[in-house]
Amino acid sequence: MAAAPSSSTATTFRRWLLLLPFPFLFFVLARAQLPGTWDVVVENAGIASMHTAVTRFNTVVLLDRTNIGPTRKMLRKGHCRNDRYDVVLKHDCYAHSVLLDLATYRIRPLTILTDTWCSSGQFLPDGTLLHTGGDLDGLRKIRKFEPCDPSGSCDWVELDDVALAEGRWYSTNQILPDGSVVVVGGRAANTVEYYPPRRGGAVSLPFLAEAEDRQMDNLYPYVHLLPNGYLFIFANDRAVSFDHVASKIVMQYPPLDGGPRNYPSAGSSAMLALDGDYSTAVIVVCGGAQYGAFIERSTDTPAHGSCGRIVATRPDPVWEMEDMPFGRIMGDMVMLPTGDVLVINGAQAGTQGFEMGSNPCLYPLLYRPDQPVGLRFMTLNPGTVPRMYHSTANLLPDGRVLIAGSNPHYFYKFEAEYPTELRIEAFSPEYLSPDRANIRPVIEGIPETVRYGEAFDVVVSVTLPVVGIVEVNLGSAPFATHSFSQGQRLVKLAVAPTAPAGDGRYKISCTAPPNGKVAPPGYYMAFAVNQGVPSVARWIHLVS
């Protein structure tokens, strides 16, 4: 056995590391087995997904725009799209949406008729995916996808009896406590409206116009439903609290330093897990492009890596600032079942837009909210596939994160520095490593439906004896697009101490969220979390 290095040798090695160029230093760290693993789960999805959502049937809906020209997946015979206004394919037999079965990784083509470029979406309380807006003939369109068992033939339905009051391109959707959906903003649409439509149609929101600058930067606003029922709406470098019932702003937050954060200068945002008495909501906004990069079409202007964190429910909120290890634009923030946040995808220079990003950021980061400033970010094992403009990231029921898309070109282009990407990957956080398998819980019993405030039991089995309390956390299924997961939410339930139930099984007594402000009605992934290791989720239906 080799002798351990002397303290002087170790000190010399540490000093040598500090003198290394920064990129090479992280190459060394990568070789030192940083946490997390990557797998390509689909070699060819047929389309590059700019919009992605996971359904309660453990399938994944992937969407691109319809006027992209030929993809690599054909529609079923007799289901071609005819559009005399399409400048590329007036008779289009290529799929622009597909359904991925997570059990088999099979891809089934779906038929979408109107253009979904830079559109928005949200799941309704019954599990139907509502999809709104887009470009051209999709500007005011409302569509629905009612998920089915993977063996079924469910497909997109374009609604003809209802339309958006205003055209919505680059807007954001958020489900509300009563199960309706608010649609916020969009290009040249400084308003909000609702589905089902409310009397009066669109409601003016001057804040969005005030947040618009020469390069827009108020598009795809970050919208979070706070547990007090108000909406936290962030655009450019500022935010407001909006009362959607009275249609008025109830609070203006201080500006966030560091420049614009929304499209086309996009960073990302997440609301941290709700727990305790559910009275506190903390919002995090990270990354973004330097102002002017979009106007100048600069591909090499470094992105910034600053993050702001604010307690949005305080009467006197202020931003707490910290820096990520990397500057990053177009990154996705994914709420993990544990309450940590995964930051993944994106680039280190340029801005959002076709041919406008460079220097892929291949290193994911783990944001640990409970750590002090300066210790919250952990660098994870890097991937090898650049995920640039039009990439997505979604939490899966088994705890992995599905990574799809990347097409920084107007059409599909496979011979390029950053080619159109049809591969789908899964990133496995460290909690899925084999050495933690013995403490990973398995949900043996859980109700399919729970009501607000209802007490119910969850039965789990664990190989090794449970030490401490097993959490039960509800994760929503958001609509991921353009570096923001619309409707993303994690709610930690109130639980009693874990009680042995014999044969390696344990009973967890839980209480459902108190109301739709804390958790809007709908289907959630229910995870049991033991010592930071989540189970495979079971879908439950939260109803009033």
Side-chain angles (χ1 to χ4, degrees), residues 15 89 129 145 182 214 280 290 338 340 427:
R15 289 174 177 170
L89 287 174
L129 179 59
F145 181 81
V182 63
R214 285 183 57 211
T280 301
Q290 300 289 344
T338 57
D340 291 340
F427 178 76

Side-chain angles (χ1 to χ4, degrees), residues 68 81 111 117 162 185 217 228 260 263 323 338 355 368 374 384 419 443 501 504 519 537:
I68 198 75
R81 182 179 69 95
T111 303
W117 185 10
V162 63
D217 281 325
N228 58 17
Y263 184 94
D323 289 322
T338 57
E355 317 293 346
R368 299 167 295 178
T384 59
I443 296 179

